[in-house]
Every structure is written in structure tokens, then in C-alpha cells.
């Protein structure tokens, strides 16, 4: 079931453990792609502003595939943030810690995962009372090793690593106690998306869940 209240979003993402990054190549693929995510057991889409179809795509998904929870990604401006919420997004993900967007989101009870890469970014979030952030670009900034190091001074923080995360290293990331979910395009393989092979996308989502689900369960035990 899709998220309906803002306070439900982060626990929901933590329960799923996987956040697919979706960059729409056309408006026509929005609905079948979302349906593939739902079929694959990962009914959430971080629809990015890397595409001009972001806003209209989210509107179509919200109207026609209501079981998929929408999050807007690669949000660079406050106007994009506001338009995303109007289009049906339940939260925001930014590539950097953009204070104007973060503060607006906090003031308006909009869940946001700001991009962090270094301790100063993480501390900006911490000082605002935030405990969930994005870690980007994960592999380029030391990946698992850096996240382990950040757990010392920021033991209360939980991260969504994206950037270089794949099926090959998914288990390494999701196993970390300060990682609540992993994100990336691996649940939506570019080759499958390019030809509209939605069955392959659904299978990639199932493969992703097969990796993270038992690890998440063991972390809760």
C-alpha cells in the first residue's frame, strides 16, 4: 500500500530497503515502469529531475498506479521541490545539502533526504534534528568504509547510499547498521528500460528484494 501520510515515508523506505532511481525517457513509459516496480515488490520510485518528464510522469503514476509511492529525486531548486509535492511526491531527495530546500521541507512537514558526502554535511542535518540522510556519491566517497567511519561520531544517523550501489555490493551496504535502505538504478536496468522490457525490470526488483529482505529481518532480530 502506498504511503499516504508524510510521517510514514521514511519507515516505509526502511521496511522496503530498496529505493529505485527512475529517470524517464518518455512520458509513455511512466505507467508501465511503475507497474513493473509494483509487480517486482518494490512499489516506490524516486523519479528524478534528470529528465524533462519528471513532473508529468509523477502525475501519471499518481493517477494510474496509486500503489507506487513517489519520491522526487535530483531536486536542485525550491520550485522543483514544490512542484514535486503538487505532482504527488511524498518526499524529496537532493544530491547535495541545499539549505533552502531542506529548511522549507522541514517547515512544511515534507520528508527529505538531503545529499551528504562529508561530516560537515551530515552535521548540518544532525543540527536540524534530522536522522535520515542520503549518502552520495557513495562509492566515490569511500563507500562501506566511509559509512563505517561515520557511525562513530554520528551513531544516531541513518543513511541511504546511492551512486555506485549495485546488486553486487548491495549486501555489503544494507548490512551496515547505519544504512536504512540502498538506492540506485539497479532495480531498473537501463538496457531493459530502453526496450520496454518491463518483465526484466520486475525481475530486477525481485532480485533486489531477495538480497535485502533477509538482511533487514536479521538486523531487526
Amino acid at each position: 500500500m502506498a504511503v499516504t501520510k508524510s510521517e510514514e515515508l521514511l519507515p516505509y523506505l526502511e521496511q522496503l530497503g530498496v529505493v529505485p532511481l527512475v529517470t524517464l525517457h518518455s512520458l509513455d513509459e511512466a505507467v508501465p515502469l511503475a507497474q513493473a516496480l509494483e509487480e517486482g515488490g518494490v512499489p516506490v520510485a524516486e523519479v528524478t529531475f534528470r529528465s524533462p518528464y519528471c513532473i508529468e510522469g509523477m502525475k501519471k503514476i499518481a493517477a494510474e498506479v496509486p500503489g507506487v509511492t513517489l519520491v522526487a529525486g535530483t531536486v536542485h531548486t525550491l520550485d522543483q521541490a514544490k512542484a514535486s509535492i503538487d505532482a504527488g511526491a511524498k518526499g524529496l531527495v537532493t544530491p547535495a545539502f541545499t539549505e533552502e530546500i531542506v529548511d522549507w521541507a522541514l517547515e512544511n512537514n515534507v520528508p527529505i533526504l538531503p545529499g551528504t558526502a562529508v561530516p560537515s554535511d551530515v552535521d548540518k542535518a544532525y543540527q536540524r534534528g534530522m536522522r535520515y540522510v542520503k549518502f552520495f556519491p557513495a562509492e566515490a566517497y569511500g563507500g562501506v568504509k566511509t559509512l563505517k567511519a561515520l557511525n562513530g561520531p554520528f551513531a544516531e544517523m541513518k543513511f541511504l547510499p546511492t551512486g555506485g550501489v549495485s546488486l553486487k555490493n548491495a549486501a555489503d551496504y544494507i548490512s551496515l547498521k547505519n544504512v536504512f535502505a540502498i538506492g540506485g538504478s539497479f532495480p531498473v536496468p537501463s538496457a531493459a528500460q530502453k526496450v520496454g522490457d518491463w518483465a526484466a525490470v520486475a525481475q530486477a526488483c525481485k532480485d533486489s528484494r531477495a538480497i535485502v529482505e533477509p538482511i533487514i529481518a536479521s538486523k531487526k532480530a
Side-chain angles (χ1 to χ4, degrees):
M1 184 177 293
V3 168
T4 57
K5 299 179 181 178
S6 60
E7 62 268 22
E8 297 173 348
L9 179 63
L10 295 178
Y12 182 67
L13 298 183
E14 190 164 16
Q15 174 188 334
L16 285 179
V18 178
V19 181
L21 193 73
V22 173
T23 301
L24 296 172
H25 300 151
S26 74
L27 198 54
D28 290 339
E29 69 181 16
V31 168
L33 198 160
Q35 290 172 334
L37 297 179
E38 190 170 39
E39 181 184 342
V42 189
V44 62
E46 180 189 332
V47 184
T48 79
F49 274 95
R50 300 178 187 182
S51 158
Y53 307 106
C54 176
I55 291 296
E56 292 305 315
M58 285 196 290
K59 288 179 180 178
K60 282 184 71 68
I61 294 170
E64 299 183 42
V65 197
V68 170
T69 296
L70 294 168
V71 180
T74 322
V75 179
H76 285 288
T77 70
L78 190 53
D79 285 342
Q80 289 177 335
K82 293 177 179 178
S84 299
I85 300 305
D86 290 341
K90 300 303 180 185
L92 308 170
V93 181
T94 60
F97 197 98
T98 308
E99 295 186 12
E100 180 185 35
I101 300 174
V102 171
D103 291 340
W104 174 84
L106 293 176
E107 290 167 6
N108 289 276
N109 196 33
V110 174
I112 184 168
L113 292 167
T116 63
V118 293
S120 58
D121 292 336
V122 180
D123 198 56
K124 286 179 183 178
Y126 184 84
Q127 297 301 331
R128 286 169 167 78
M130 304 173 72
R131 296 297 180 263
Y132 290 79
V133 294
K134 175 181 179 178
F135 179 59
F136 174 82
E139 281 289 281
Y141 271 79
V144 169
K145 186 176 180 180
T146 297
L147 284 165
K148 286 181 178 179
L150 287 171
N151 189 61
F154 297 107
E156 297 174 67
M157 299 299 291
K158 294 189 177 183
F159 297 89
L160 170 74
T162 66
V165 180
S166 67
L167 288 177
K168 291 181 180 180
N169 59 20
D172 295 331
Y173 276 103
I174 199 66
S175 296
L176 297 175
K177 62 181 179 180
N178 61 344
V179 168
F180 73 94
I182 54 176
S185 58
F186 57 92
V188 187
S190 58
Q193 183 180 358
K194 186 176 181 179
V195 299
D197 187 350
W198 308 123
V201 172
Q203 185 59 53
C205 289
K206 292 175 183 177
D207 293 342
S208 302
R209 282 286 291 161
I211 292 171
V212 305
E213 194 169 18
I215 298 174
I216 291 172
S218 68
K219 288 166 73 173
K220 291 179 180 178

